[in-house]
Amino acid sequence: MSEIGKGVSRMSSMLNITRIHNSLNAISFMRRSINFARDFATKRKAFGKFIIDHDLHCHTLGNMEVECRASLLTLFYVAKLLGKMENKEATKDDLEMLRFITPLLKIYTAKQSIAVTSEGLEAIGGQGYIEDTGIPNLLRDSQVLSIWEGTTNILSLDALRSIKKSQGESLKLFFQSIFKTCEQANKYDSLRQKSVLLVDLSKKVIKFVQENENELVTGAREFSFGLYRLFTASLILERCMKTNLKDTDMFLLEKWFNQDMIPVITNSERKFLKSEISQLNRKFFMNGHPSFKI
């Protein structure tokens, strides 16, 4: 039990652990789903050959693998910070990074677990849907991961609160870590392009936060997704350096950047985060409801 008024503070370390466990489950479900799908691909034939030999199917499974591998890197990074905290070896900066990145990890992996396991069921076809196989359990269990320990929207707002509470220090440390990795990656010719791009994207986000505070709440979800993607990109760069530019890690890097890395800015540029658009959005989805009046 904590002192009166300090319950949330006392709970914070427990929340870090349970959210990390949540992410571990999410990534485990992704991996198991991928394992089912890739094994099935070596046994099921379509159009005269195994489906593993169809480029379209390989492309689909490859996209699933990207999410699983990339998220595993971020999970290990956060688990390392948690280990340092539990062994009383963590610095103040380590603790701040743990507090800030853990919700981002939970948000992203929970949502991707649903997407990847759903794709995995489809990759197996009808047998992936039939309850007797046990495979549908992966999708059903994945669905709860984005709900408990804080829904996507709640944790996205939590990330904003962390920035405000630390007076921007958490975001400063976050991008310092990214810039440090990019500085090291610049020494490699084959990594320089992505390193420079990652720095540019990060600077765009910093500028957005400074100039568009009024859009951050509406775009909190996309903001959190973008932060996760940027930080994970830095971890993939680090991985490439550690493995001497292994071809599969370089491929992961290319695939990871093949997405909208900063969706909050994309939505802002399209005016979707403006207050007047929020009113139109409410009218859009509430139209037809008996309680709604134009």
Side-chain angles (χ1 to χ4, degrees):
M1 295 292 290
S2 70
E3 299 176 25
I4 294 176
K6 296 185 178 181
V8 174
S9 177
R10 179 62 65 88
M11 287 172 58
S12 62
S13 60
M14 180 193 72
L15 288 173
N16 277 337
I17 294 172
T18 54
R19 287 169 180 169
I20 292 172
H21 284 183
N22 199 88
S23 301
L24 176 61
N25 279 321
I27 297 168
S28 297
F29 291 158
M30 283 191 264
R31 173 51 62 202
R32 187 159 177 78
S33 181
I34 292 169
N35 284 349
F36 277 132
R38 67 184 184 183
D39 186 65
F40 185 78
T42 65
K43 296 177 174 60
R44 175 77 164 91
K45 283 188 176 182
F47 305 107
K49 57 183 178 181
F50 291 111
I51 57 177
I52 192 64
D53 295 322
H54 289 281
D55 291 344
L56 174 58
H57 194 66
C58 282
H59 180 66
T60 302
L61 296 186
N63 288 338
M64 295 165 63
E65 183 70 22
V66 167
E67 295 296 339
C68 187
R69 286 199 189 197
S71 292
L72 189 62
L73 292 176
T74 314
L75 173 66
F76 282 157
Y77 176 86
V78 172
K80 181 179 71 174
L81 292 180
L82 178 66
K84 292 174 72 174
M85 183 194 76
E86 291 179 338
N87 286 285
K88 296 181 171 46
E89 297 174 357
T91 65
K92 181 181 177 182
D93 289 353
D94 288 335
L95 295 176
E96 189 62 48
M97 287 289 281
L98 177 64
R99 166 73 180 88
F100 187 63
I101 298 178
T102 298
L104 302 180
L105 174 70
K106 193 273 186 186
I107 289 169
Y108 197 87
T109 56
K111 298 299 284 188
Q112 289 309 118
S113 180
I114 297 169
V116 170
T117 54
S118 178
E119 197 72 69
L121 263 67
E122 185 176 341
I124 299 172
Q127 294 181 69
Y129 183 79
I130 296 172
E131 292 289 344
D132 291 351
T133 65
I135 297 174
N137 292 345
L138 292 172
L139 179 58
R140 190 161 50 248
D141 289 346
S142 289
Q143 188 63 66
V144 77
L145 299 177
S146 64
I147 299 172
W148 63 17
E149 305 302 337
T151 61
T152 306
N153 285 354
I154 292 299
L155 288 185
S156 296
L157 294 174
D158 187 50
L160 295 183
R161 282 193 297 269
S162 176
I163 295 172
K164 186 175 182 179
K165 184 178 179 181
S166 67
Q167 298 181 323
E169 188 63 24
S170 57
L171 199 61
K172 179 181 177 182
L173 290 171
F174 177 86
F175 283 115
Q176 281 179 347
S177 177
I178 291 177
F179 293 152
K180 182 178 179 181
T181 300
C182 289
E183 184 180 355
Q184 296 170 341
N186 276 336
K187 300 173 183 178
Y188 297 79
D189 291 339
S190 54
L191 297 178
R192 190 171 297 116
Q193 180 189 17
K194 289 294 186 291
S195 175
V196 171
L197 176 58
L198 182 53
V199 170
D200 289 344
L201 292 172
S202 298
K203 288 181 177 178
K204 283 185 178 181
V205 173
I206 293 171
K207 183 179 180 182
F208 178 83
V209 172
Q210 294 170 341
E211 299 179 356
N212 300 275
E213 184 177 353
N214 57 325
E215 295 185 3
L216 275 175
V217 173
T218 305
R221 179 186 286 227
E222 289 87 355
F223 178 63
S224 296
F225 286 176
L227 291 181
Y228 180 89
R229 287 171 182 166
L230 293 175
F231 192 78
T232 299
S234 73
L235 295 179
I236 298 174
L237 278 173
E238 187 177 290
R239 168 77 180 177
C240 289
M241 290 185 282
K242 288 182 177 178
T243 61
N244 294 317
L245 310 177
K246 186 178 178 182
D247 58 349
T248 50
D249 291 321
M250 294 294 291
F251 187 63
L252 173 61
L253 183 67
E254 289 291 336
K255 295 274 279 185
W256 186 253
F257 272 92
N258 188 34
Q259 61 180 322
D260 187 349
M261 296 292 287
I262 44 177
V264 68
I265 295 180
T266 302
N267 278 312
S268 178
E269 290 173 345
R270 294 172 181 172
K271 311 301 182 185
F272 286 141
L273 304 181
K274 299 293 183 183
S275 57
E276 56 269 26
I277 297 299
S278 292
Q279 294 298 322
L280 180 59
N281 193 39
R282 187 176 293 106
K283 178 180 178 181
F284 174 69
F285 72 77
M286 286 299 292
N287 190 28
H289 191 276
S291 69
F292 181 72
K293 295 180 181 180
I294 299 177

